[in-house]
Amino acid sequence: MSNLLFELHQHNDVVMTERNGIKIPARYHTPEKEHRAVRQNILLCDYSHFGKAKISGESAWELLNVLVSGDVSSIRDEQAMYTLMLDDQGQIITDLYILCDEESYLLFSEWMTSEALCERITALMAERVGEFDDIEQIIPLNDQGLLHIEGPYSWELLVELYGMDIAGLPFQEHMHVCDELILLRAGKHGEFSYKLFGDYASLADAWQQLVEAGEKFDLCLGGLDYQQQVRLENPCFIPTPLLSLSRCPIELQLQWMVRYDKDEFIGMEALKGRLDAGPHRRAIGMSVDGQPSVTLAFGDEVLLDEEVVGVVIECGYSADIDKTIGRLFIDSEFAWADLSHLTARSSSGDEIALRTAAVPFARNYSFLINPAEHSYIDTRRPRDLLQQFEWQKEREEQEKAASPAAPAEMSIQGMK
């Protein structure tokens, strides 16, 4: 689809890719540089490939509550939730964000088109005739896009453009900025992360403003290729290759996105049955120290005493923690962290010992950042918690050196 944002990327002559039928940048720089920006300062990307839809009417929340595994009744205006859409067999179709916004709901899905979202909702209404009568509109939002701003200091850049309220915006809440844009705080990679939603012309203007204001933050432009590394370190739901192994939330360790205490949702009974029976296999993290010569890939066998107990989902090297990391899909009895008796066999026949691990792997830098105290650009404030401790220690040592002798010592000296 041609739009001002797309034309801006074309003008910059970047490498493009396509997802959900939308052309967006694959990369502006090397994936390594864009990954470093996410972990250390700020990365700006075009996320317009997300499917986007709007549903409104008094029955909207009831309809959505049947459609997804989360509890839509729990969110209020300017709040959002991250949830799953399942089929009748309790198998994952996609993940998605639902935003409650001014008497309507906005749906953002990374893996479905806007039309597919609307078709799914419309089909549910057709199956349940008479149950959701008060629906005003279900419309795809193809004329609107998304920008993604991610990194430990992304909040500080947005504060400069849109005001101090950004610094206090809770996770999975949103606010209107500049009248025509909605800013959602949500992400999947463990760092401060925001999505800016609006029409393409407004987003093209916002892109230029972010680039200009972001210069002093060392902001880096990016595409989608950086996701491979950050999602290796902070695993999240990705259809390929995950769904070729399983589409079950229990097996994929996504149960935290399911509210079994709801009255109903599509796939609920099938999922409860599978929960009672117990999953055959589960996803679990794995790690190997350093970067061994054996290269593992999707589908490689995982062995225990020469018996196949699972397969490799993904594997790669993280320089940040100097480990080869990834995920396995193995028999449930072995799907526990810190087991060290497993090996994996590569396609070339080489075997390597590995250790199961809890995820995520990344030591997210954003955990060391407090928007109320730290700053990337204000040299009067520490950049992070570690620098804050260093400064505090230096101050205490300086104060101790400058203070007069203790009264007890003075008294003793006086007696002498």
Side-chain angles (χ1 to χ4, degrees):
M1 175 182 294
S2 179
N3 57 62
L4 291 179
L5 201 53
F6 177 77
E7 292 172 9
L8 191 150
H9 301 317
Q10 280 190 315
H11 178 74
N12 288 324
D13 194 27
V14 298
V15 179
M16 302 293 285
T17 187
E18 185 171 321
R19 190 178 289 179
N20 286 337
I22 305 293
K23 289 185 178 178
I24 46 177
R27 57 183 176 274
Y28 265 81
H29 305 281
T30 64
E32 291 76 16
K33 181 174 180 178
E34 294 177 14
H35 169 262
R36 191 162 55 249
V38 167
R39 297 303 189 201
Q40 296 181 1
N41 46 313
I42 307 172
L43 184 73
L44 171 63
C45 299
D46 182 357
Y47 265 29
S48 296
H49 60 287
F50 272 58
K52 302 164 286 286
K54 180 179 181 180
I55 175 170
S56 60
E58 290 294 327
S59 300
W61 77 267
E62 295 173 298
L63 177 60
L64 290 174
N65 222 22
V66 175
L67 184 75
V68 301
S69 62
D71 187 357
V72 180
S73 68
S74 67
I75 60 172
R76 300 290 181 265
D77 192 29
E78 297 193 342
Q79 292 183 331
M81 66 183 304
Y82 178 56
T83 185
L84 293 172
M85 189 187 298
L86 308 176
D87 63 16
D88 291 333
Q89 300 306 309
Q91 308 278 7
I92 298 174
I93 298 173
T94 187
D95 62 347
L96 76 162
Y97 295 100
I98 297 178
L99 288 66
C100 180
D101 183 65
E102 296 180 347
E103 309 297 328
S104 64
Y105 291 91
L106 299 172
L107 277 60
F108 300 158
S109 171
E110 188 172 2
W111 311 109
M112 290 182 75
T113 65
S114 304
E115 289 79 8
L117 280 172
C118 292
E119 288 170 6
R120 187 76 187 172
I121 299 170
T122 304
L124 176 59
M125 286 187 65
E127 292 172 9
R128 309 279 288 261
V129 176
E131 291 189 40
F132 312 109
D133 288 337
D134 196 358
I135 298 294
E136 294 176 0
Q137 59 178 356
I138 302 170
I139 54 172
L141 301 173
N142 284 324
D143 57 345
Q144 306 199 53
L146 276 177
L147 299 186
H148 182 70
I149 307 103
E150 182 171 21
Y153 297 97
S154 52
W155 57 272
E156 192 172 15
L157 169 61
L158 294 167
V159 163
E160 185 167 311
L161 289 180
Y162 302 125
M164 281 301 298
D165 287 348
I166 305 296
L169 186 65
F171 185 60
Q172 293 195 1
E173 290 200 12
H174 62 281
M175 58 189 293
H176 288 251
V177 296
C178 297
D179 296 329
E180 69 276 11
L181 297 173
I182 291 176
L183 184 72
L184 166 67
R185 183 184 167 192
K188 300 179 178 179
H189 310 144
E191 306 291 354
F192 280 105
S193 181
Y194 302 84
K195 291 175 175 58
L196 196 59
F197 169 72
D199 64 78
Y200 284 115
S202 299
L203 290 183
D205 287 340
W207 179 280
Q208 302 280 27
Q209 293 169 14
L210 287 163
V211 169
E212 184 176 341
E215 188 173 348
K216 54 182 171 293
F217 294 91
D218 300 319
L219 176 143
C220 178
L221 301 180
L224 294 190
D225 285 358
Y226 85 100
Q227 290 182 342
Q228 182 174 354
Q229 186 65 23
V230 294
R231 292 182 173 185
L232 178 69
E233 296 165 346
N234 285 72
C236 58
F237 173 73
I238 307 172
T240 305
L242 215 52
L243 297 192
S244 64
L245 295 173
S246 172
R247 293 170 54 206
C248 172
I250 304 168
E251 293 184 338
L252 299 181
Q253 306 279 23
L254 296 173
Q255 286 194 79
W256 59 274
M257 297 171 73
V258 179
R259 287 289 300 268
Y260 294 103
D261 57 345
K262 284 172 56 176
D263 290 337
E264 65 168 328
F265 59 83
I266 294 176
M268 185 178 192
E269 294 306 317
L271 201 55
K272 280 185 174 179
R274 214 171 307 136
L275 183 64
D276 291 340
H280 174 56
R281 286 186 169 178
R282 287 181 186 268
I284 186 77
M286 57 146 282
S287 71
V288 178
D289 290 338
Q291 192 171 16
S293 57
V294 177
T295 302
L296 298 177
F298 172 75
D300 287 346
E301 293 177 336
V302 178
L303 309 165
L304 176 64
D305 298 331
E306 292 302 313
E307 180 183 353
V308 177
V309 296
V311 295
V312 173
I313 297 174
E314 59 184 349
C315 186
Y317 176 69
S318 172
D320 286 355
I321 56 176
D322 190 24
K323 287 180 181 291
T324 296
I325 57 177
R327 281 188 295 171
L328 311 174
F329 191 59
I330 61 176
D331 293 350
S332 291
E333 59 196 287
F334 308 118
W336 300 92
D338 213 25
L339 300 182
S340 59
H341 296 86
L342 299 172
T343 60
R345 180 186 294 151
S346 72
S347 57
S348 61
D350 297 321
E351 292 190 13
I352 182 172
L354 54 84
R355 180 182 291 273
T356 56
V359 295
F361 299 98
R363 293 169 291 187
N364 302 122
Y365 184 46
S366 293
F367 285 118
L368 299 176
I369 308 296
N370 181 348
E373 299 181 355
H374 304 141
S375 171
Y376 190 78
I377 56 174
D378 186 350
T379 55
R380 298 167 301 177
R381 299 162 60 190
R383 275 200 169 183
D384 54 42
L385 195 59
L386 297 178
Q387 190 174 54
Q388 187 174 0
F389 286 155
E390 289 176 6
W391 287 11
Q392 183 177 349
K393 186 177 179 181
E394 289 175 5
R395 279 198 301 272
E396 290 174 351
E397 290 176 349
Q398 290 170 358
E399 290 170 1
K400 185 177 180 181
S403 63
E409 292 177 343
M410 291 180 63
S411 176
I412 293 172
Q413 289 172 350
M415 291 173 67
K416 288 179 178 177

